Amino acid sequence: MKRPTMRDVPEELDGMIPPSLIPANADPVALVHAIRGMAPEVNDLLAATSVAHHWGSKRMPGDWALLYLAFVLSKLPDVQPWYQRVVGYRDLWQACRFTAVPSLRTVELRFAELELQGDAFEHFAAKLIQKARSRDPRVGAQVHVDATESQTHAAPRHDCQPGEGCPSSVKRQPHMRRLDAKTASEVRETRAAHPVEPAGTVLLADGLTQVEVTGSHWDPIRRVMRFRSGSHWWASRDREAGTRAYERGPRTVKAWHGRYGMVVIDHFTHAPLAIEIQPANMPEHKIYERAMERVIANLGGEAPLVVAGDRGLSIESVFKFNTNRGIASVLPYRRQNGSEPAHPAGTSDYDENGIPKCRHCGGTTSFVSFRVDKGRGRVWFKCDLPVTPGCDKVQTMNCSKNYRRVLPLWRNEEAYAAMRTSHQVYEHVHNDLRTQFLVNPNSLQTRPKRIGSGVHILRAAAALLITWVRVFTSSGKLGRRKYKTKLTSGRGMASRIAAARLRSRTPAPVSGAPPPLALSPPPAV
C-alpha cells in the first residue's frame, strides 16, 4: 500500500464499531484469551512483569499482568470492590493461571508492584501499533493531541506554621477549594484564548488570575509536600501531584491539585497512540514534547506527518518542535503577548495565512516542496503569475522566519482544512478512556484512593494496550480483510480560502508592471 504524504487528505475507517462498545470484549475472560493468542508479545509482557524473589516463601503461580488488565476492564477505581465481585469467578482465575484465589491483601500488593512496570504494558501496545502500521501505513500518519485534567485523591490542607505569617485566625482556617474538572477545562480554555503575561501571572476571565505555586518542598518527617499558594502554605500527601491556584484579588478562590493527561489520538483508527501524564503545574507545551517523543517511539521511530491540536499548544516552541522534525502543525492562531494583533497579519514575506509571497513581484505563490535542511524546516515555492524574469525561478524560505506562520502544510490545502475541522470530533476519545477505563479521573467516584503517579500511569498504559487489542480482535481489520475507509472532508474551508486567494491573485506593483486591483485579502486561518 502506498505510504501517505503530508499533503494527502486524511482517511479514517468507515463503519467500524467503536471497540469500547463491543459486548464480547467487556468479558475479562475473553480479553485474557485474546491476549494469550498474541504470542510472542504476551510472553514479553509476562516476563517483564514477573518479579523474582530469592527469599521468603514461593509465590503462587499466576499471571498478575493479565489479572490487572481484567481489573482495569471492570470500570472500578479500587481493588477491594472489584475483588469482592470476582472472588468467586473461577473462570477468570483459571484464565490467568491461578491455582488458588489469592487474598485481597496479596492482590493489592501485586498490583502495587506493577506500578513500576507500566512501560511493559506500553511496549506491548507499541508492538501492536507498529504491526498495524506495517499492515496499513495510514495508521499514525495524522494525529490529534489534547490534554485533560486528572484529579488526585489527596486534597491539599492548610499548613501554615507559627512564624510563617498566616493572615487567618485560629477559629477560621482557610480551605483550598478543589477545582472540578469542568471548571478547570473552562479556565484552561479561557487561558488559551488570552495572551501569556509575564512574571508567572495569567489573567483569566471575570477578574480571575492564575498564580505560580512557589516554595514546593518535601517534608520527610511528616511525609507531605508543602507549597505556598496565595498567602498560605499547604500540604499534600501526593508528592508527585502538581497544583494550579486561581485568585480574585488577594483571595485564592479555587485550586486544582492533580495532573494533566495528554492523549495523542490516531486519525485513522480513532485509537490513542500514547497517553502522557504529568503534574498539573507543568506547562502544556512541555508535556506535548514528551508525549510526541512517546508517540514516535510507539510508531517504531517514525514521526507523524500532521499533528492537530487546540489553542493551548499554539505557541512558538511547539511549532518549532514540529517543523524541525518534519511534522506539520494544525493549530489555531493565538496571541503570544499583548502587542500582537487579535487576528494574524501578513508581512512583506508572507500573507495572513502564512503563505510566502513572491520575492520579485509580491504576488501569491504555490507550494513546491518541504524538507528539513540542516535541522531546520524549509519550504520551496513558485510564483503563480510571473511578471518579472525572477518570478520564473523556484524560491525558498526558512520556516524559522516565523515558525507559527510559515508551515510545512499550508493553510490553503484541503489536508490542513480536514484536520482543522475534524479535531473536535476526536475529543470523544477522552470520554471513552475515562468512562471505559477511568483514565484521567475527574470525580470522587472515578479517582483511585491510592496516592501517587504510578497508579495513573499504569492504568493509562493498560487502557492503551486493551484498546489496541480490541482494534485487532473486534473486527478483523487492519490488513486481515478489506475494509471501507472514507476521506475526512475539508473542502468547505479549503474552497473558501482558495476562492479568496484567487480573487487576490494580482501581483504588487513593480517596475514596468501594471498596478494591482484593490481586492480584499484572503481570510486568515
Side-chain angles (χ1 to χ4, degrees):
M1 181 179 292
K2 179 183 176 182
R3 297 183 65 84
T5 66
M6 186 183 296
R7 322 208 105 65
D8 290 340
V9 178
E11 296 181 70
E12 54 186 303
L13 289 177
D14 185 19
M16 180 178 181
I17 302 175
S20 58
L21 301 181
I22 299 174
N25 285 336
D27 182 7
V29 176
L31 174 67
V32 171
H33 288 312
I35 294 177
R36 286 202 182 279
M38 295 182 174
E41 291 86 355
V42 66
N43 297 331
D44 296 337
L45 172 66
L46 297 179
T49 55
S50 298
V51 180
H53 287 274
H54 303 287
W55 62 89
S57 58
K58 187 177 180 180
R59 292 188 173 186
M60 67 172 60
D63 299 328
W64 291 101
L66 300 183
L67 187 66
Y68 181 80
L69 294 175
F71 162 63
V72 172
L73 199 65
S74 68
K75 303 181 184 179
L76 293 173
D78 297 301
V79 176
Q80 182 175 357
W82 170 79
Y83 179 84
Q84 294 173 348
R85 178 184 298 182
V86 302
V87 65
Y89 192 10
R90 181 172 299 179
D91 291 344
L92 174 61
W93 301 103
Q94 291 179 349
C96 296
R97 297 180 180 176
F98 283 89
T99 56
V101 178
S103 65
L104 171 62
R105 178 59 177 166
T106 301
V107 175
E108 291 176 337
L109 289 175
R110 299 298 173 265
F111 284 180
E113 289 179 351
L114 290 176
E115 293 177 8
L116 301 176
Q117 308 296 333
D119 289 344
F121 290 84
E122 186 164 0
H123 289 164
F124 190 166
K127 292 177 182 178
L128 298 182
I129 294 172
Q130 293 167 23
K131 182 181 293 186
R133 186 174 173 86
S134 66
R135 295 177 180 178
D136 196 320
R138 290 171 291 187
V139 174
Q142 297 93 7
V143 301
H144 298 263
V145 183
D146 200 5
T148 186
E149 292 74 19
S150 177
Q151 293 184 359
T152 179
H153 193 62
R157 67 178 187 273
H158 180 248
D159 195 52
C160 282
Q161 302 298 319
E164 292 181 336
C166 179
S168 301
S169 63
V170 178
K171 295 182 179 179
R172 187 175 180 179
Q173 293 295 329
H175 175 66
M176 181 175 284
R177 296 174 57 189
R178 185 188 292 272
L179 181 62
D180 60 277
K182 180 180 179 181
T183 308
S185 298
E186 294 174 355
V187 170
R188 174 174 163 268
E189 292 170 1
T190 305
R191 178 193 177 190
H194 285 69
V196 176
E197 301 292 341
T201 301
V202 180
L203 300 179
L204 305 175
D206 302 327
L208 201 63
T209 304
Q210 176 184 316
V211 296
E212 282 189 342
V213 176
T214 60
S216 299
H217 65 275
W218 175 253
D219 187 339
I221 299 177
R222 294 187 297 150
R223 299 189 64 80
V224 295
M225 175 63 72
R226 301 189 75 226
F227 58 90
R228 189 173 182 85
S229 176
S231 303
H232 301 279
W233 281 92
W234 306 88
S236 170
R237 294 182 296 120
D238 195 340
R239 183 175 185 175
E240 299 168 325
T243 304
R244 290 180 184 265
Y246 302 95
E247 294 182 349
R248 184 173 284 114
R251 186 169 61 92
T252 301
V253 293
K254 288 183 182 294
W256 170 43
H257 189 60
R259 298 167 178 83
Y260 262 147
M262 182 168 287
V263 183
V264 183
I265 307 162
D266 177 34
H267 183 92
F268 185 65
T269 61
H270 288 235
L273 296 173
I275 305 174
E276 182 71 21
I277 298 177
Q278 294 293 338
N281 59 335
M282 179 178 289
E284 193 169 350
H285 66 276
K286 292 185 178 180
I287 303 177
Y288 168 80
E289 294 178 3
R290 300 190 182 192
M292 193 51 56
E293 295 291 352
R294 189 181 293 269
V295 170
I296 294 174
N298 290 347
L299 291 175
E302 297 184 55
L305 300 175
V306 185
V307 174
D310 58 14
R311 290 178 184 268
L313 294 174
S314 187
I315 60 176
E316 180 83 11
S317 62
V318 173
F319 283 98
K320 181 178 180 180
F321 179 90
N322 287 342
T323 300
N324 292 343
R325 286 165 177 77
I327 304 173
S329 303
V330 180
L331 303 171
Y333 175 74
R334 171 188 174 187
R335 297 174 64 194
Q336 301 299 294
N337 51 61
S339 63
E340 282 197 344
H343 301 285
T347 67
S348 59
D349 297 317
Y350 50 84
D351 62 13
E352 293 83 356
N353 292 300
I355 299 176
K357 298 178 181 179
C358 177
R359 289 202 182 104
H360 305 281
C361 69
T364 59
T365 60
S366 297
F367 177 86
V368 174
S369 65
F370 165 83
R371 70 171 181 264
V372 179
D373 181 32
K374 297 180 180 179
R376 295 192 296 179
R378 180 178 289 272
V379 294
W380 282 260
F381 51 92
K382 61 182 180 180
C383 183
D384 289 331
L385 294 174
V387 295
T388 68
C391 293
D392 293 326
K393 299 179 180 179
V394 175
Q395 305 170 50
T396 183
M397 178 181 294
N398 200 312
C399 296
S400 61
K401 182 175 290 291
N402 191 333
Y403 281 110
R404 295 166 50 220
R405 304 308 300 160
V406 183
L407 304 180
L409 180 63
W410 287 6
R411 293 177 173 89
N412 64 333
E413 300 195 33
E414 185 179 354
Y416 182 98
M419 292 295 291
R420 175 75 181 273
T421 56
S422 66
H423 177 66
Q424 279 191 332
V425 177
Y426 285 78
E427 292 184 355
H428 75 89
V429 178
H430 288 298
N431 293 328
D432 292 345
L433 292 172
R434 182 170 285 148
T435 57
Q436 293 295 320
F437 310 112
L438 307 187
V439 175
N440 297 322
N442 62 348
S443 66
L444 175 64
Q445 292 76 22
T446 58
R447 64 176 181 257
K449 308 308 179 286
R450 185 170 172 81
I451 303 301
S453 297
V455 62
H456 297 275
I457 295 174
L458 177 61
R459 185 179 285 268
L464 185 69
L465 171 56
I466 294 174
T467 301
W468 279 96
V469 170
R470 287 174 166 178
V471 169
F472 273 88
T473 60
S474 60
S475 57
K477 292 183 180 291
L478 298 177
R480 294 302 185 186
R481 303 176 189 172
K482 292 183 178 180
Y483 44 89
K484 295 181 180 179
T485 62
K486 63 179 180 180
L487 292 175
T488 303
S489 177
R491 294 179 181 176
M493 176 180 172
S495 61
R496 290 192 298 269
I497 297 176
R501 290 180 58 79
L502 182 63
R503 293 193 300 268
S504 63
R505 191 173 288 180
T506 302
V510 295
S511 177
L517 298 176
L519 297 176
S520 59
V525 179

